Amino acid sequence: MSLATRIRREWRFLRPLLRTLKRVRSVASDSPHLSCDDIEEAVSHWRERPALQFEGKTLTYGEFDALANRYAHWAASRGLRRGSTVAILLPNRLDYVPAWYGLTKIGVASALINNHLAGAPLAHCMKVADASHVIVDDETAAALEAIRGALDKSITVWTLGEPHGDQRNLTTALKGSSAVRPEREQFRSGMTAKDTALYIFTSGTTGLPKAARITHMRVQLYMRGFAAATGARPEDRIFCALPLYHATGGICALGAALLNGGLFIPVRRFSASQFWDEIIATKATMFVYIGELCRYLVNQPP
């Protein structure tokens, strides 16, 4: 290998590394600047640009933030505050990120539950989350109802679908909630980046799923790190076929898009046979992956 080739190769590695180090150097556990502050700053900068697209519906940064604010005020109206946890048992959908982002605005943590779980593993995750409220939709409500009797405490179920039994209508509650940003001084005063933002669960391949406590600092490192390393730009459209309840799709890819003014495009689920058709249909310029995803793609017929 020639010296010139080696220098070019090293520079290709060094540039994103330097960008990443520059972007994450201000992240600190004792800082009052939280992950939701990062996203709010992006919203203020790119308010009119498209931020989130799902199944043909698009939210601008301003609309995305307004929906998150509705989730924040809804939770505050239920008496939820710093130290509270809400369980989110949803498939990939338009509300997913606005829900947990909105909850962080008032200091509430979200437990992101694998929407494919049922029975004992789901009951275990709900017990570990120790949440007093859970958000479901028509796709996940039945699995939750089947294990409610096995839970250690009563839990209020809010649905984005059709309510049944004692379930409460979250869609209606959100419509009646304010879209104005909640006052930072009122809800986030005294919080630092070492406070909990999310609980993300392991896959459970070696036993029942385990909950990892994800602090605001960790969310910032994920989001800022990928925003810098990918070199994404405002015109980029980042496609995500990974579940939003895991960090790679739900935080890293999100940061690469939103912290750079780009568009985040989650889809309901990964399909190896439809993947490139979806890439073309959404006009994506980047996609986020884990290793297995690419193996499935290369094993498809040309």
Side-chain angles (χ1 to χ4, degrees), residues 74-184:
W74 158 74
S77 72
R78 307 310 306 170
L80 299 174
R81 293 292 188 275
R82 178 185 180 184
S84 303
T85 302
V86 172
I88 298 179
L89 179 60
L90 294 173
N92 286 10
R93 54 178 293 149
L94 193 70
D95 290 67
Y96 201 101
V97 175
W100 71 251
Y101 163 47
L103 292 172
T104 62
K105 288 171 177 266
I106 62 167
V108 174
S110 298
L112 309 184
I113 311 293
N114 182 339
N115 61 290
H116 301 292
L117 294 179
L122 177 58
H124 167 78
C125 289
M126 292 298 300
K127 290 177 183 178
V128 170
D130 194 31
S132 55
H133 297 262
V134 59
I135 300 173
V136 299
D137 67 2
D138 288 337
E139 188 175 315
T140 58
L144 178 70
E145 290 301 324
I147 57 94
R148 281 182 74 178
L151 300 182
D152 298 329
K153 59 187 285 187
S154 61
I155 190 167
T156 304
V157 181
W158 295 84
T159 181
L160 292 166
E162 186 66 28
H164 297 284
D166 64 351
Q167 296 173 1
R168 303 191 184 186
N169 192 322
L170 181 54
T171 303
T172 300
L174 290 172
K175 289 180 180 178
S177 300
S178 172
V180 176
R181 283 184 181 176
E183 290 292 332
R184 192 185 193 288

